[in-house]
């Protein structure tokens, strides 16, 4: 019997004329680490061919590595882009590996600042000592900055990735750093970057330690912890995360982890967590996570939840439930009603926007955004850390 994987299920809908289905697929792929390169290329081509889809697609590709063919597509279209969406394409250039960027420097020079080219040259050609010196300088600059500097943070992560790629960091060094960090009430930026490096290394011995960090209250650390745990794509991670998934205080990032580990066990523990969760907004985040698995096992739980009379503004449940049933090829008596409610909200929002009426809720294609989704304002942060505060 052929085993149908998560990618098998969504492949026919990566490019879809049904914008609601495609939007849901994009949400489900945003933090997933194994999106095929050809899908990214295909999505970029559609984004540049259909202006109404461009912002949404570019935002949801913000976590994906941009390899050579995808880079060529971006470079072909950047010169003709409107100013209001150009920053979304330029942000994707941060996801190009330094060696590839240097290869295309002639084409990229006008879009990437000189200090970044100096960093790329260091990463590609620098010695271990040179890279560590720059890494230390970036740590110092971040710690002394008056506010969070996204440019420095990206710079630090690129240097950290260089240390891992070249084998200039080992488990003993990571153990020492993390032992020091765990003795403190707050992780330093160096500790956070070491969590990021663990995600790149995928050493399973660190799974219990990383899961334990889900109990912390530092958002930047928690984002890196969740991303690192997702990289393992392991049921060992799923089992370890269960207590945090069932705790309202730690559920948000734990749900993000289990949502993006696409296994049958992940679906089971999400259903179990839903059954013991009482707060409606927490239930909705768990339903969203279940929907993004596109599993038939989750349909009874999803269907039962959709009978609730009340909803919050955190998740567009109608769109997500509609898309899940469509992708699975399953029928539901309210399927078209869910679709129409979603489209009506979109129409109302567009009418308000065109009439110049104030609207304080950011949107992509609907006026609801999941807390773990990228913020529609284009900041690069997750919604819960930006406009959703």
């Amino acid at each position: 019997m052929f085993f149908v994987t998560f990618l098998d299920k969504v492949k026919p809908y990566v490019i879809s004329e049904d914008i609601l289905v495609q939007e849901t697929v994009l949400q489900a792929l945003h933090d997933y680490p194994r999106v095929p390169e050809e899908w990214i290329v295909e999505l970029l081509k559609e984004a540049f061919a259909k202006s109404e889809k461009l912002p949404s697609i570019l935002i949801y590709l913000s976590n994906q590595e941009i390899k050579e063919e995808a880079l060529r597509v971006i470079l072909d279209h950047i010169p003709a882009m409107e100013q209001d969406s150009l920053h979304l394409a330029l942000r994707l250039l941060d996801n190009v590996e330094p060696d590839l960027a240097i290869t295309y420097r002639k084409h990229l020079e006008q879009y990437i600042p000189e200090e970044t080219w100096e960093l790329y040259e260091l990463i590609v050609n620098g010695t271990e000592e040179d890279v560590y010196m720059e890494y230390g300088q970036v740590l110092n600059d971040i710690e002394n900055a008056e506010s969070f500097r996204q440019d420095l943070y990206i710079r630090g992560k690129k240097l950290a990735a260089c240390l891992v790629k070249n084998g200039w960091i080992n488990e003993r060094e990571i153990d020492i750093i993390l032992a020091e960090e765990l003795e403190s009430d707050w992780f330093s930026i160096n500790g956070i970057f070491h969590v990021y490096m663990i995600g790149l290394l995928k050493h399973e011995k660190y799974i219990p330690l990383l899961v334990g960090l889900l109990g912390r209250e530092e958002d930047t650390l928690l984002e890196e912890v969740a991303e690192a745990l997702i990289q393992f794509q392991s049921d060992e991670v799923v089992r370890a995360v269960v207590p945090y998934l069932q705790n309202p205080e730690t559920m948000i990032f734990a749900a993000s982890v289990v949502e993006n580990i696409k296994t049958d066990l992940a679906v089971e523990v999400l259903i179990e967590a839903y059954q013991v969760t009482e707060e409606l907004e927490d239930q909705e985040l768990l339903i969203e996570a279940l929907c993004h698995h596109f599993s038939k096992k989750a349909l009874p739980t999803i269907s039962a939840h959709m009978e609730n009379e009340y909803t919050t503004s955190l998740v567009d449940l109608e769109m997500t439930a509609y898309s899940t049933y469509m992708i699975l090829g399953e029928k539901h008596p309210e399927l078209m009603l869910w679709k129409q409610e979603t489209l009506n909200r979109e129409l109302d929002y567009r009418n308000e926007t065109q009439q110049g009426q104030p609207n304080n809720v950011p949107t992509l294609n609907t006026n609801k955004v999941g807390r773990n989704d990228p913020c529609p304002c284009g900041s690069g942060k997750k919604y819960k850390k930006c406009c959703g505060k």
Side-chain angles (χ1 to χ4, degrees):
M1 181 177 177
F2 177 68
F3 178 68
V4 181
T5 67
F6 165 74
L7 291 178
D8 292 329
K9 294 173 189 175
V10 301
K11 183 178 180 180
Y13 305 96
V14 173
I15 304 299
S16 175
E17 292 302 315
D18 189 328
I19 195 168
L20 303 184
V21 170
Q22 186 179 34
E23 183 79 13
T24 303
V25 169
L26 288 171
Q27 291 175 6
L29 292 176
H30 178 253
D31 290 320
Y32 184 65
R34 298 181 181 176
V35 178
E37 181 183 358
E38 60 268 25
W39 292 14
I40 297 171
V41 173
E42 197 174 358
L43 281 165
L44 285 170
K45 288 179 178 178
E46 186 181 41
F48 290 118
K50 299 179 180 178
S51 60
E52 72 277 8
K53 290 187 175 184
L54 187 142
S56 181
I57 290 176
L58 295 191
I59 286 174
Y60 280 112
L61 290 180
S62 62
N63 277 1
Q64 304 299 332
E65 182 181 350
I66 301 299
K67 296 186 178 180
E68 187 166 8
E69 188 176 354
L71 177 58
R72 287 177 179 171
V73 174
I74 295 171
L75 287 172
D76 285 344
H77 292 90
I78 277 184
M81 288 187 70
E82 298 290 338
Q83 197 63 36
D84 61 353
S85 56
L86 178 61
H87 69 286
L88 298 174
L90 294 180
R91 184 175 291 118
L92 293 182
L93 298 182
D94 288 334
N95 300 347
V96 177
E97 286 293 307
D99 53 349
L100 179 59
I102 288 174
T103 300
Y104 281 82
R105 180 164 184 168
K106 178 181 176 181
H107 306 278
L108 288 168
E109 197 126 35
Q110 61 182 308
Y111 307 119
I112 296 178
E114 181 57 35
E115 59 266 25
T116 301
W117 289 116
E118 293 172 1
L119 173 68
Y120 288 174
E121 290 289 349
L122 173 65
I123 288 174
V124 174
N125 300 311
T127 65
E128 179 178 354
E129 181 179 1
D130 291 337
V131 172
Y132 262 110
M133 285 184 62
E134 180 61 22
Y135 178 73
Q137 183 61 53
V138 170
L139 294 180
N140 184 66
D141 291 344
I142 293 175
E143 296 286 3
N144 291 317
E146 293 183 0
S147 59
F148 182 77
R149 290 272 305 275
Q150 182 73 12
D151 58 331
L152 289 176
Y153 193 76
I154 292 173
R155 190 178 185 91
K157 289 183 73 170
K158 287 186 179 295
L159 289 164
C162 175
L163 296 176
V164 170
K165 183 177 181 179
N166 287 291
W168 294 338
I169 187 80
N170 58 49
E171 287 188 25
R172 181 175 177 276
E173 292 165 329
I174 292 174
D175 291 345
I176 292 171
I177 293 296
L178 292 183
E180 294 174 352
E181 296 289 334
L182 289 169
E183 292 179 358
S184 174
D185 292 336
W186 298 92
F187 260 52
S188 70
I189 195 66
N190 188 36
I192 291 172
F193 284 155
H194 274 73
V195 168
Y196 167 66
M197 287 189 269
I198 290 173
L200 297 178
L201 289 165
K202 300 185 186 68
H203 288 172
E204 293 185 354
K205 65 172 269 188
Y206 292 110
I207 289 176
L209 185 149
L210 290 175
V211 172
L213 295 177
L214 290 172
R216 311 279 289 213
E217 296 182 355
E218 305 146 78
D219 276 359
T220 303
L221 170 63
L222 287 168
E223 287 188 0
E224 293 298 343
V225 167
E227 183 177 323
L229 288 170
I230 290 167
Q231 298 301 315
F232 287 97
Q233 289 297 301
S234 162
D235 276 342
E236 181 181 349
V237 172
V238 174
R239 282 187 284 268
V241 168
V242 168
Y244 298 89
L245 186 65
Q246 297 184 0
N247 182 346
E249 299 298 319
T250 56
M251 190 269 289
I252 292 175
F253 285 95
S256 178
V257 172
V258 182
E259 173 184 342
N260 288 287
I261 296 178
K262 308 297 187 179
T263 66
D264 289 342
L265 180 62
V267 173
E268 292 172 13
V269 302
L270 283 168
I271 293 172
E272 291 170 3
Y274 175 85
Q275 292 169 346
V276 300
T277 298
E278 297 180 355
E279 292 294 328
L280 180 60
E281 67 178 37
D282 292 341
Q283 290 178 345
E284 290 191 354
L285 289 174
L286 291 169
I287 290 296
E288 180 183 48
L290 275 171
C291 285
H292 288 170
H293 276 272
F294 306 111
S295 169
K296 291 186 179 181
K297 291 181 181 178
L299 293 182
T301 304
I302 295 167
S303 180
H305 183 85
M306 295 301 292
E307 295 178 7
N308 287 340
E309 184 176 351
Y310 302 103
T311 63
T312 71
S313 61
L314 295 174
V315 180
D316 193 322
L317 283 182
E318 288 83 7
M319 181 184 81
T320 309
Y322 161 77
S323 301
T324 299
Y325 274 83
M326 290 296 292
I327 288 169
L328 291 174
E330 295 290 318
K331 296 181 180 179
H332 191 283
E334 297 189 358
L335 197 60
M336 291 302 106
L337 177 62
W338 296 338
K339 179 179 183 179
Q340 194 57 51
E341 287 182 358
T342 304
L343 294 175
N344 287 344
R345 277 196 299 273
E346 171 66 4
L347 182 60
D348 289 344
Y349 170 77
R350 291 187 180 182
N351 288 339
E352 287 181 2
T353 303
Q354 290 170 0
Q355 293 168 11
Q357 296 179 11
N359 184 70
N360 294 323
V361 183
T363 184
L364 289 174
N365 287 313
T366 69
N367 62 349
K368 288 186 180 181
V369 184
R371 281 195 287 191
N372 286 304
D373 290 344
C375 191
C377 76
S379 67
K381 298 181 181 180
K382 290 183 184 289
Y383 178 57
K384 64 175 173 285
K385 287 189 61 184
C386 193
C387 298
K389 284 186 175 180

